[in-house]
Amino acid sequence: MHELLPETVMSKPWIAPALRSAVRAGVELGERLLLGPLGVVFAADVSAPRYPYVRESVVVRNWARLEEMPKPHQGPRRSSVAYIGAISPLRGSTVTLDALRILWGRGLKVGVDCIGPGAVADLEALRDAGRESGFDVRVPGAVGANEVLSLIKDCVAGLSVLMPTGNYNDTIPTKVCEYMALELPIIVSDFPILRNLIASAQCWTTVDPRSP
């Protein structure tokens, strides 16, 4: 189980807000009926305690495997921040773009590599911003897992600015672990679980994901 499905229901834009609580209750009931007698593989430590009715379970953390990672970049880095994963406003695309525009307005030449799938409108908004500003904005769309990390390893920082909604508050995004394995400084949403994970790393900063 990769994420807490009942939590994600509450932030689905295609479900009418007035219906989300009822849909969530239905999902929770369905999970109880279906998962109870099954063995479940959880991808995060925080998930298992929420399913006490599951008879057998194991946690396999969906984190980076160092032996499969490219070596960290040595030498000068591009003045660009990196984001990998699905691209959407809930995952920080809009607030990232707003923050970049503030930096561009101050004369700071900061680019961004946003690599992953997303709605056409969200991808084009980023590309349009790059064309309008003249700065380096790379939005190639979905890229193979073996290639994506090589594309960002010479960036100056990695982004994981998720909105405080659904199950984002209680999860450790795989991308954060991948940034750390690449020895990239990290800019993350100010969620307790992330602060606790990287507090000793001294290579990070937390931000309010709702404010550029």
Side-chain angles (χ1 to χ4, degrees), residues 83 85-96 117-119 122-123 126 161-163 168:
Y83 170 84
I87 297 170
S88 71
L90 282 177
R91 291 174 176 261
S93 64
T94 301
V95 73
T96 295
D122 296 329
L123 300 181
L126 291 163
V161 188
L162 306 178
M163 295 296 108
Y168 293 160

mmCIF file of all heavy atoms in Angstrom, residues 83 85-96 117-119 122-123 126 161-163 168:
data_model
loop_
_atom_site.group_PDB
_atom_site.id
_atom_site.type_symbol
_atom_site.label_atom_id
_atom_site.label_comp_id
_atom_site.label_asym_id
_atom_site.label_seq_id
_atom_site.Cartn_x
_atom_site.Cartn_y
_atom_site.Cartn_z
ATOM 1 N N TYR A 83 12.734 19.250 -9.194
ATOM 2 C CA TYR A 83 11.565 18.563 -8.649
ATOM 3 C C TYR A 83 11.318 17.332 -9.507
ATOM 4 O O TYR A 83 11.294 17.424 -10.752
ATOM 5 C CB TYR A 83 10.315 19.442 -8.673
ATOM 6 C CG TYR A 83 9.061 18.644 -8.330
ATOM 7 C CD1 TYR A 83 8.705 18.422 -7.003
ATOM 8 C CD2 TYR A 83 8.286 18.061 -9.335
ATOM 9 C CE1 TYR A 83 7.601 17.649 -6.684
ATOM 10 C CE2 TYR A 83 7.180 17.282 -9.025
ATOM 11 C CZ TYR A 83 6.845 17.082 -7.700
ATOM 12 O OH TYR A 83 5.755 16.301 -7.389
ATOM 13 N N GLY A 85 8.637 13.900 -9.882
ATOM 14 C CA GLY A 85 7.367 13.336 -9.440
ATOM 15 C C GLY A 85 6.216 13.947 -10.215
ATOM 16 O O GLY A 85 6.408 14.773 -11.106
ATOM 17 N N ALA A 86 5.009 13.526 -9.864
ATOM 18 C CA ALA A 86 3.821 14.057 -10.533
ATOM 19 C C ALA A 86 3.733 15.569 -10.312
ATOM 20 O O ALA A 86 4.006 16.066 -9.217
ATOM 21 C CB ALA A 86 2.570 13.368 -10.008
ATOM 22 N N ILE A 87 3.379 16.286 -11.356
ATOM 23 C CA ILE A 87 3.342 17.754 -11.326
ATOM 24 C C ILE A 87 1.896 18.224 -11.248
ATOM 25 O O ILE A 87 1.078 17.933 -12.124
ATOM 26 C CB ILE A 87 4.030 18.328 -12.581
ATOM 27 C CG1 ILE A 87 5.512 17.918 -12.590
ATOM 28 C CG2 ILE A 87 3.888 19.839 -12.639
ATOM 29 C CD1 ILE A 87 6.229 18.233 -13.890
ATOM 30 N N SER A 88 1.591 18.960 -10.168
ATOM 31 C CA SER A 88 0.245 19.487 -9.980
ATOM 32 C C SER A 88 0.309 20.567 -8.909
ATOM 33 O O SER A 88 1.278 20.634 -8.136
ATOM 34 C CB SER A 88 -0.725 18.381 -9.541
ATOM 35 O OG SER A 88 -0.453 17.993 -8.201
ATOM 36 N N PRO A 89 -0.714 21.426 -8.813
ATOM 37 C CA PRO A 89 -0.728 22.435 -7.743
ATOM 38 C C PRO A 89 -0.652 21.826 -6.347
ATOM 39 O O PRO A 89 0.000 22.385 -5.465
ATOM 40 C CB PRO A 89 -2.060 23.158 -7.977
ATOM 41 C CG PRO A 89 -2.295 23.048 -9.456
ATOM 42 C CD PRO A 89 -1.811 21.652 -9.794
ATOM 43 N N LEU A 90 -1.312 20.680 -6.113
ATOM 44 C CA LEU A 90 -1.251 20.049 -4.804
ATOM 45 C C LEU A 90 0.160 19.584 -4.460
ATOM 46 O O LEU A 90 0.514 19.452 -3.284
ATOM 47 C CB LEU A 90 -2.207 18.862 -4.722
ATOM 48 C CG LEU A 90 -3.691 19.183 -4.521
ATOM 49 C CD1 LEU A 90 -4.511 17.901 -4.525
ATOM 50 C CD2 LEU A 90 -3.910 19.943 -3.213
ATOM 51 N N ARG A 91 0.958 19.353 -5.472
ATOM 52 C CA ARG A 91 2.344 18.931 -5.253
ATOM 53 C C ARG A 91 3.328 20.083 -5.415
ATOM 54 O O ARG A 91 4.534 19.868 -5.529
ATOM 55 C CB ARG A 91 2.689 17.780 -6.203
ATOM 56 C CG ARG A 91 1.945 16.499 -5.862
ATOM 57 C CD ARG A 91 2.182 15.418 -6.899
ATOM 58 N NE ARG A 91 1.548 14.171 -6.526
ATOM 59 C CZ ARG A 91 2.168 13.144 -5.947
ATOM 60 N NH1 ARG A 91 3.449 13.243 -5.649
ATOM 61 N NH2 ARG A 91 1.523 12.033 -5.655
ATOM 62 N N GLY A 92 2.792 21.305 -5.447
ATOM 63 C CA GLY A 92 3.657 22.469 -5.352
ATOM 64 C C GLY A 92 4.002 23.182 -6.635
ATOM 65 O O GLY A 92 4.820 24.117 -6.618
ATOM 66 N N SER A 93 3.404 22.818 -7.775
ATOM 67 C CA SER A 93 3.806 23.453 -9.031
ATOM 68 C C SER A 93 3.479 24.944 -9.056
ATOM 69 O O SER A 93 4.292 25.765 -9.503
ATOM 70 C CB SER A 93 3.143 22.752 -10.222
ATOM 71 O OG SER A 93 1.728 22.892 -10.187
ATOM 72 N N THR A 94 2.313 25.321 -8.543
ATOM 73 C CA THR A 94 1.909 26.726 -8.587
ATOM 74 C C THR A 94 2.738 27.582 -7.643
ATOM 75 O O THR A 94 3.239 28.648 -8.021
ATOM 76 C CB THR A 94 0.410 26.870 -8.249
ATOM 77 O OG1 THR A 94 -0.359 26.114 -9.187
ATOM 78 C CG2 THR A 94 -0.009 28.331 -8.313
ATOM 79 N N VAL A 95 2.924 27.132 -6.401
ATOM 80 C CA VAL A 95 3.681 27.929 -5.438
ATOM 81 C C VAL A 95 5.156 27.982 -5.839
ATOM 82 O O VAL A 95 5.834 29.006 -5.610
ATOM 83 C CB VAL A 95 3.506 27.374 -4.012
ATOM 84 C CG1 VAL A 95 4.275 26.069 -3.808
ATOM 85 C CG2 VAL A 95 3.918 28.404 -2.980
ATOM 86 N N THR A 96 5.666 26.934 -6.455
ATOM 87 C CA THR A 96 7.044 26.964 -6.946
ATOM 88 C C THR A 96 7.200 28.014 -8.037
ATOM 89 O O THR A 96 8.163 28.792 -8.048
ATOM 90 C CB THR A 96 7.455 25.579 -7.484
ATOM 91 O OG1 THR A 96 7.460 24.638 -6.403
ATOM 92 C CG2 THR A 96 8.834 25.626 -8.115
ATOM 93 N N PRO A 117 5.132 13.332 -14.816
ATOM 94 C CA PRO A 117 3.864 13.483 -15.529
ATOM 95 C C PRO A 117 2.995 14.548 -14.881
ATOM 96 O O PRO A 117 3.178 14.910 -13.724
ATOM 97 C CB PRO A 117 3.229 12.097 -15.375
ATOM 98 C CG PRO A 117 3.752 11.618 -14.045
ATOM 99 C CD PRO A 117 5.154 12.136 -13.950
ATOM 100 N N GLY A 118 2.054 15.056 -15.654
ATOM 101 C CA GLY A 118 1.125 16.043 -15.116
ATOM 102 C C GLY A 118 0.099 16.419 -16.155
ATOM 103 O O GLY A 118 0.211 16.059 -17.334
ATOM 104 N N ALA A 119 -0.928 17.138 -15.712
ATOM 105 C CA ALA A 119 -1.936 17.628 -16.643
ATOM 106 C C ALA A 119 -1.285 18.594 -17.630
ATOM 107 O O ALA A 119 -0.350 19.330 -17.274
ATOM 108 C CB ALA A 119 -3.062 18.324 -15.884
ATOM 109 N N ASP A 122 -0.901 22.180 -16.440
ATOM 110 C CA ASP A 122 0.132 22.409 -15.431
ATOM 111 C C ASP A 122 1.529 22.414 -16.051
ATOM 112 O O ASP A 122 2.380 23.245 -15.694
ATOM 113 C CB ASP A 122 0.056 21.345 -14.332
ATOM 114 C CG ASP A 122 -1.246 21.417 -13.548
ATOM 115 O OD1 ASP A 122 -1.788 22.532 -13.403
ATOM 116 O OD2 ASP A 122 -1.734 20.361 -13.095
ATOM 117 N N LEU A 123 1.784 21.499 -16.977
ATOM 118 C CA LEU A 123 3.082 21.460 -17.643
ATOM 119 C C LEU A 123 3.294 22.703 -18.501
ATOM 120 O O LEU A 123 4.379 23.304 -18.495
ATOM 121 C CB LEU A 123 3.195 20.197 -18.503
ATOM 122 C CG LEU A 123 3.082 18.852 -17.782
ATOM 123 C CD1 LEU A 123 3.243 17.711 -18.772
ATOM 124 C CD2 LEU A 123 4.094 18.733 -16.662
ATOM 125 N N LEU A 126 4.279 25.953 -16.621
ATOM 126 C CA LEU A 126 5.702 26.033 -16.319
ATOM 127 C C LEU A 126 6.515 26.385 -17.558
ATOM 128 O O LEU A 126 7.419 27.231 -17.505
ATOM 129 C CB LEU A 126 6.183 24.704 -15.730
ATOM 130 C CG LEU A 126 5.668 24.365 -14.328
ATOM 131 C CD1 LEU A 126 5.861 22.884 -14.034
ATOM 132 C CD2 LEU A 126 6.382 25.210 -13.285
ATOM 133 N N VAL A 161 7.700 20.438 -2.140
ATOM 134 C CA VAL A 161 6.823 21.425 -1.502
ATOM 135 C C VAL A 161 5.372 20.979 -1.692
ATOM 136 O O VAL A 161 4.636 21.518 -2.532
ATOM 137 C CB VAL A 161 7.066 22.838 -2.057
ATOM 138 C CG1 VAL A 161 6.289 23.873 -1.254
ATOM 139 C CG2 VAL A 161 8.553 23.179 -2.027
ATOM 140 N N LEU A 162 4.988 19.961 -0.939
ATOM 141 C CA LEU A 162 3.638 19.414 -1.036
ATOM 142 C C LEU A 162 2.683 20.225 -0.174
ATOM 143 O O LEU A 162 3.050 20.736 0.882
ATOM 144 C CB LEU A 162 3.628 17.955 -0.587
ATOM 145 C CG LEU A 162 4.616 17.015 -1.292
ATOM 146 C CD1 LEU A 162 4.511 15.620 -0.705
ATOM 147 C CD2 LEU A 162 4.379 16.999 -2.792
ATOM 148 N N MET A 163 1.440 20.319 -0.623
ATOM 149 C CA MET A 163 0.441 21.052 0.144
ATOM 150 C C MET A 163 0.020 20.244 1.386
ATOM 151 O O MET A 163 0.046 19.012 1.368
ATOM 152 C CB MET A 163 -0.797 21.330 -0.722
ATOM 153 C CG MET A 163 -0.546 22.261 -1.902
ATOM 154 S SD MET A 163 -0.046 23.939 -1.423
ATOM 155 C CE MET A 163 1.698 23.907 -1.898
ATOM 156 N N TYR A 168 -0.329 13.800 2.609
ATOM 157 C CA TYR A 168 0.993 14.389 2.443
ATOM 158 C C TYR A 168 1.625 14.753 3.784
ATOM 159 O O TYR A 168 2.848 14.743 3.930
ATOM 160 C CB TYR A 168 0.925 15.641 1.562
ATOM 161 C CG TYR A 168 0.553 15.378 0.120
ATOM 162 C CD1 TYR A 168 0.050 16.394 -0.683
ATOM 163 C CD2 TYR A 168 0.710 14.123 -0.452
ATOM 164 C CE1 TYR A 168 -0.284 16.177 -2.007
ATOM 165 C CE2 TYR A 168 0.376 13.882 -1.769
ATOM 166 C CZ TYR A 168 -0.124 14.914 -2.550
ATOM 167 O OH TYR A 168 -0.461 14.699 -3.868
#
